[in-house]
């Protein structure tokens, strides 16, 4: 990572820039998407930085450091041409990711001064007090609004607020701020801020985290976007500000979208027709497509016409009503529908070239052994490729919310690419028996239990949407919660029996009125990605033992009877019988942030065992 290039010396036109800025630290490529993406805060030793926006750091995302990644279906969904891997190189002369110092407010533990970093007159390239020669401490506190803006904590206003009226004066006193700790406790009450003007009393930081603390001072968001540079103070936002710890997870949450590479999109190569698809979509007949391609490429079309027609047909299947009339959520569900169809039908490895990124085959064993479990259609996904793109980010978003409103873009301009990671691995796909599932869903006890979760989740979504806003409907249905919980207990079982760490596995749910499947696959790009161990678990005999063992293991939790009998669990009551001792997973393995889980829908309860889909298995 390097600071931004605002004052960077460059060579003459046509040369390469002088790489004279020091590296501040290192992060893994995957972290640049999931943890330290654009707009996030990153601590390096005793310093704090914010990752720069894409348009302000585009020259650091060059092809030699940030190779292009192609995934046609996802690129079309996100309206970009391609993706790029985050910059990565062991060569210190390379740029890496650009960062900016934030927050700018620092304090010196020796002289207790609290001011901007540059006002300490630190030596070039260092973060020390020019007078005391001790390391400066970045401000522990920042402020943010729900629209995604981020700013410095208003220490001056906090100190000079009127104790009688609860408001601040707008006239600057000319004094200098001081920050020290009384050392009595580790609470906010021990962090003391004062001003040398002596017009205001010394105050603690206690109360600064109240939701209305800054609103009571008459402060509103000014629309500041420090990751885009000092000139990015946009129009005043006006939303309420909230105080956050600099390292809080609420400061930055990624909005990730992913897709599996499936035929006919799964070769992973660059698209030579990228600039021509809008025109090609206007043609329905093969002869018209041939005429267009011959005219553009003068008879030397780089893609066979049969392949072009297959791609056009696949697009129309995903968007049968036309792209203009479908929302992003509709198109994202259509993307999942096509994956589900391909996972069900599969494709034989012997029928495809070595470049094929998706190999899904029917196991050779007798699948009838799975019928008593209510499981059907296992498929061995011997080869898969997933692309995960960082679409945007949010701040102050409830981790339980699935809404996509108030997203902050990664750049100030319209770029035709996004950061992404690609994962190559393997997996096991299975479905639930539709007839048995339909009968189970109609049970009154199942519907009542699920309705409690749906109501709680909808309440969370409505609160997140705010006054007057239309919240997205909760996705909770009996089959969704059942499949989600089943995926979790399978991952836990395979982490014990197959030697995979739970964090190396990931779920992908396919749930709708006409879908009831789950894909468990390797979710890392290292050596645990595709060793064949997970695919071997999908053979019917072994899968039968795994499912049977997982169900019996889920029957008991070390927190029972509290876990099973609880009336509410999780943030906002979005879980029922689920805790970290039984079905919860590492956050990276779960599509829904460890919410919408209920072990009782899998194994039943002591009072009503038939509420569990697999209750009959436990009685055998």
């Amino acid at each position: 990572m390097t600071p931004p290039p605002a004052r960077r010396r460059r060579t003459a036109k046509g040369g390469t820039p002088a790489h004279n800025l020091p590296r501040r630290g290192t992060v893994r490529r995957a972290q640049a998407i999931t943890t330290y993406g654009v707009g996030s805060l990153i601590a390096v030793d005793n310093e704090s930085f914010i990752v720069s926006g894409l348009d302000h750091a585009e020259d650091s995302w060059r092809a030699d450091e940030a190779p292009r990644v192609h995934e046609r279906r996802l690129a079309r969904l996100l309206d970009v041409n391609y993706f790029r891997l985050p910059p990565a190189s062991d060569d210190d002369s390379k740029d890496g990711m650009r960062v900016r110092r934030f927050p700018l407010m620092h304090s010196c533990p020796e002289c207790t001064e609290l001011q901007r970093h540059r006002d300490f007159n630190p030596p070039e390239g260092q973060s020390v007090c020019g007078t005391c020669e001790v390391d400066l401490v970045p401000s522990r506190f920042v402020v943010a609004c729900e629209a995604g803006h981020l700013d410095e904590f208003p220490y001056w206003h906090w100190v000079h607020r009127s104790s009688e009226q609860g408001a601040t004066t707008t006239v600057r006193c000319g004094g200098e701020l001081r920050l020290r700790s009384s050392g009595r406790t580790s609470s906010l009450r021990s962090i003391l801020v004062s001003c040398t003007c002596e017009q205001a009393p010394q105050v603690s930081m206690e109360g600064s985290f109240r939701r209305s603390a800054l609103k009571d001072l008459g402060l509103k968001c000014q629309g500041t976007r420090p990751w885009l540079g000092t000139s990015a103070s946009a129009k005043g936002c006006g939303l309420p500000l909230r105080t956050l710890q600099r390292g809080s997870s609420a400061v930055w949450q990624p909005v990730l979208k992913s897709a599996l590479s499936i035929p006919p999109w799964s070769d992973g190569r660059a698209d030579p027709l990228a600039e021509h698809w809008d025109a090609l979509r206007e043609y329905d007949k093969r002869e018209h497509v041939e005429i267009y391609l011959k005219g553009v490429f003068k008879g030397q079309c780089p893609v066979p016409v049969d392949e072009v027609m297959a791609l056009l047909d696949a697009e129309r299947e995903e968007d049968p009503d036309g792209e203009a009339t479908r929302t992003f959520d509709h198109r994202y569900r259509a993307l999942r529908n096509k994956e589900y169809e391909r996972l069900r039908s599969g494709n034989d490895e012997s029928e495809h070239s070595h470049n094929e990124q998706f190999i899904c085959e029917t196991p050779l064993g007798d699948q009838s052994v799975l019928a008593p479990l209510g499981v059907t259609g296992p498929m061995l996904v011997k080869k898969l490729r997933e692309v995960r793109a960082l679409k945007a980010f949010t701040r102050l978003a409830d981790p339980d919310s699935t809404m996509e409103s108030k997203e902050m873009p990664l750049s100030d301009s319209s770029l035709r690419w996004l950061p992404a990671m690609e994962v190559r691995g393997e997996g096991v796909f299975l479905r639930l028996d539709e007839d048995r599932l339909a009968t189970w869903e109609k049970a009154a006890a199942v519907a009542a239990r699920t309705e409690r979760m749906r109501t709680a989740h909808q309440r969370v979504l409505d609160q997140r949407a705010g006054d007057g806003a239309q919240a997205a409907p909760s996705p909770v249905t009996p089959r969704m919660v059942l499949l989600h919980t089943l995926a979790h207990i399978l991952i836990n079982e395979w982490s014990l029996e197959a030697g995979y760490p739970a964090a190396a596995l990931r779920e992908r749910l396919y749930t709708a009125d006409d879908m009831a499947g789950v894909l468990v696959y390797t979710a890392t790009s290292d050596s645990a990605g595709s060793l064949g161990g997970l695919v071997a678990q999908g053979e019917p005999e072994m899968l039968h033992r795994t499912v049977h063992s997982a169900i019996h293991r889920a029957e008991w939790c070390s927190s029972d009877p509290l876990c099973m009998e609880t009336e509410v669990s999780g943030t906002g009551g979005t879980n029922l019988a689920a805790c970290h001792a039984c079905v919860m997973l590492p956050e990276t393995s779960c599509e829904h942030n460890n919410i919408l889980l209920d072990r009782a829908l899998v194994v039943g309860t002591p009072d009503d065992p038939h509420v569990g889909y697999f209750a009959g298995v436990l009685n055998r």
Side-chain angles (χ1 to χ4, degrees):
M1 298 180 299
T2 60
R7 297 182 178 86
R8 224 165 149 190
R9 295 193 304 272
R10 297 182 180 272
T11 58
K13 184 177 181 180
T16 58
H19 298 274
N20 58 354
L21 294 173
R23 289 201 173 199
R24 296 292 187 175
T26 60
V27 297
R28 297 192 303 273
R29 250 183 175 158
Q31 288 181 307
I33 299 294
T34 59
T35 310
Y36 301 123
V38 171
S40 66
L41 296 181
I42 178 171
V44 181
D45 297 328
N46 63 325
E47 300 180 82
S48 176
F49 301 93
I50 190 168
V51 180
S52 297
L54 297 181
D55 46 359
H56 288 254
E58 188 170 8
D59 59 342
S60 69
W61 291 66
R62 298 187 304 270
D64 56 339
E65 291 187 69
R68 292 188 178 187
V69 174
H70 299 276
E71 169 42 50
R72 285 179 46 87
R73 297 167 67 240
L74 188 61
R76 180 164 165 263
L77 176 73
L78 299 177
D79 193 26
V80 295
N81 294 335
Y82 57 90
F83 305 98
R84 283 180 176 171
L85 297 178
S89 175
D90 294 330
D91 188 351
D92 287 340
S93 66
K94 302 294 185 180
D95 270 347
M97 293 172 57
R98 296 280 174 78
V99 296
R100 303 174 184 273
R101 190 179 298 281
F102 187 86
L104 298 179
M105 293 296 289
H106 284 61
S107 61
C108 173
E110 189 73 24
C111 62
T112 71
E113 289 188 2
L114 175 64
Q115 57 190 358
R116 287 180 173 267
H117 183 271
R118 64 171 180 265
D119 295 334
F120 284 98
N121 296 316
E124 184 178 358
Q126 300 183 45
S127 182
V128 299
C129 178
T131 303
C132 307
E133 297 184 350
V134 299
D135 290 337
L136 296 174
V137 179
S139 169
R140 281 178 53 187
F141 311 105
V142 295
V143 296
C145 77
E146 290 188 349
H149 302 115
L150 188 69
D151 207 348
E152 308 275 350
F153 181 82
Y155 287 103
W156 190 89
H157 294 85
W158 185 251
V159 172
H160 293 84
R161 67 186 189 272
S162 169
S163 59
E164 297 180 358
Q165 301 178 358
T168 60
T169 177
T170 58
V171 180
R172 293 286 177 171
C173 63
E176 296 179 351
L177 295 175
R178 296 283 191 269
L179 185 145
R180 67 182 183 88
S181 175
S182 67
R184 295 177 181 175
T185 67
S186 58
S187 66
L188 294 176
R189 182 179 298 179
S190 295
I191 302 176
L192 305 174
V193 186
S194 60
C195 182
T196 58
C197 70
E198 299 184 354
Q199 297 178 10
Q202 178 177 263
V203 298
S204 74
M205 292 296 295
E206 186 176 27
S208 59
F209 281 76
R210 290 188 299 107
R211 284 184 175 268
S212 61
L214 301 180
K215 181 180 179 180
D216 293 343
L217 300 182
L219 299 178
K220 295 182 179 180
C221 179
Q222 298 300 311
T224 307
R225 299 176 292 173
W227 64 96
L228 298 180
T230 55
S231 61
S233 296
K235 302 176 182 178
C237 170
L239 288 177
L241 289 168
R242 279 182 54 190
T243 304
L244 298 170
Q245 292 270 14
R246 173 164 49 89
S248 169
S249 60
V251 172
W252 187 84
Q253 300 92 20
V255 178
L256 298 172
K257 297 299 176 185
S258 66
L260 300 181
S261 295
I262 59 174
W265 317 90
S266 52
D267 52 17
R269 61 181 171 175
D271 186 359
L273 304 180
E275 300 178 357
H276 304 283
W277 285 109
D278 288 340
L280 288 169
R281 292 186 187 106
E282 300 296 327
Y283 302 114
D284 295 329
K285 296 183 178 180
R286 178 188 177 93
E287 53 267 28
H288 296 160
V289 172
E290 288 179 337
I291 294 172
Y292 176 86
L293 293 176
K294 288 180 180 179
V296 171
F297 294 99
K298 300 184 179 359
Q300 301 294 324
C301 181
V303 181
V305 176
D306 289 341
E307 183 175 334
V308 175
M309 296 304 300
L311 293 173
L312 288 173
D313 291 341
E315 281 191 358
R316 294 186 182 105
E317 287 181 11
E318 289 192 5
D319 294 314
D321 300 326
E323 195 169 341
T325 61
R326 296 166 67 86
T327 65
F328 181 89
D329 287 339
H330 282 107
R331 289 184 287 128
Y332 195 54
R333 283 197 294 270
L335 181 146
R336 286 292 181 100
N337 290 341
K338 296 302 294 183
E339 291 178 5
Y340 182 72
E341 292 176 11
R342 178 56 66 174
L343 287 166
R344 287 190 61 174
S345 60
N347 64 331
D348 196 328
E349 183 174 10
S350 61
E351 299 177 358
H352 296 275
S353 68
H354 178 71
N355 294 328
E356 177 60 56
Q357 301 291 333
F358 182 84
I359 302 296
C360 180
E361 298 180 348
T362 304
L364 299 177
D366 182 10
Q367 297 187 25
S368 63
V369 298
L370 296 171
L373 300 177
V375 174
T376 187
M379 299 294 287
L380 308 181
V381 188
K382 295 184 175 181
K383 190 176 180 181
L384 65 81
R385 172 179 179 264
E386 180 195 22
V387 175
R388 303 175 194 159
L390 178 62
K391 176 177 180 279
F393 66 88
T394 62
R395 304 196 197 277
L396 297 175
D398 192 310
D400 296 344
S401 174
T402 58
M403 291 191 61
E404 299 188 21
S405 60
K406 302 178 183 177
E407 294 177 357
M408 184 58 67
L410 307 181
S411 64
D412 203 21
S413 58
S414 299
L415 298 180
R416 300 298 299 168
W417 60 274
L418 287 172
M421 279 296 299
E422 60 178 352
V423 176
R424 289 182 171 88
E426 61 188 16
V428 174
F429 174 74
L430 57 88
R431 294 180 287 123
L432 298 183
D433 182 88
E434 285 286 353
D435 294 336
R436 179 169 167 177
L437 183 62
T439 302
W440 172 81
E441 286 178 313
K442 295 176 182 178
V446 172
R449 195 170 180 91
T450 308
E451 180 61 23
R452 285 161 53 192
M453 297 179 65
R454 192 203 66 78
T455 302
H457 190 227
Q458 191 64 57
R459 186 187 307 115
V460 170
L461 296 181
D462 292 340
Q463 292 173 352
R464 181 69 187 92
D467 296 336
Q470 181 66 38
S474 171
V476 173
T477 61
R479 70 172 59 195
M480 182 270 171
V481 178
L482 171 63
L483 283 166
H484 190 199
T485 311
L486 175 63
H488 278 227
I489 65 174
L490 286 175
I491 289 175
N492 279 330
E493 188 69 19
W494 278 324
S495 71
L496 296 172
E497 300 296 333
Y500 286 91
L505 300 176
R506 185 175 173 86
E507 67 180 6
R508 195 168 181 86
L509 304 179
Y510 299 91
T511 172
D513 292 340
D514 56 347
M515 294 193 299
V518 59
L519 171 69
V520 176
Y521 61 105
T522 51
T524 59
S525 54
D526 59 13
S527 58
S530 55
L531 300 177
L534 184 58
V535 165
Q537 304 299 316
E539 290 293 341
E541 289 288 346
M542 189 169 292
L543 184 59
H544 177 273
R545 290 196 299 269
T546 298
V547 174
H548 201 275
S549 175
I551 293 169
H552 277 279
R553 198 183 301 276
E555 190 177 12
W556 173 252
C557 171
S558 59
S559 296
D560 280 340
L562 179 63
C563 177
M564 180 60 76
E565 296 178 359
T566 184
E567 294 293 325
V568 62
S569 176
T571 305
T574 50
N575 284 336
L576 286 181
C579 71
H580 286 284
C582 53
V583 298
M584 287 190 175
L585 294 175
E587 294 290 343
T588 54
S589 299
C590 179
E591 283 194 314
H592 294 284
N593 298 300
N594 271 332
I595 66 168
L596 312 182
L597 295 164
D598 184 13
R599 187 162 48 95
L601 293 185
V602 177
V603 298
T605 67
D607 295 334
D608 188 0
H610 297 290
V611 76
Y613 178 82
F614 295 99
V617 177
L618 298 172
N619 296 329
R620 292 178 183 272

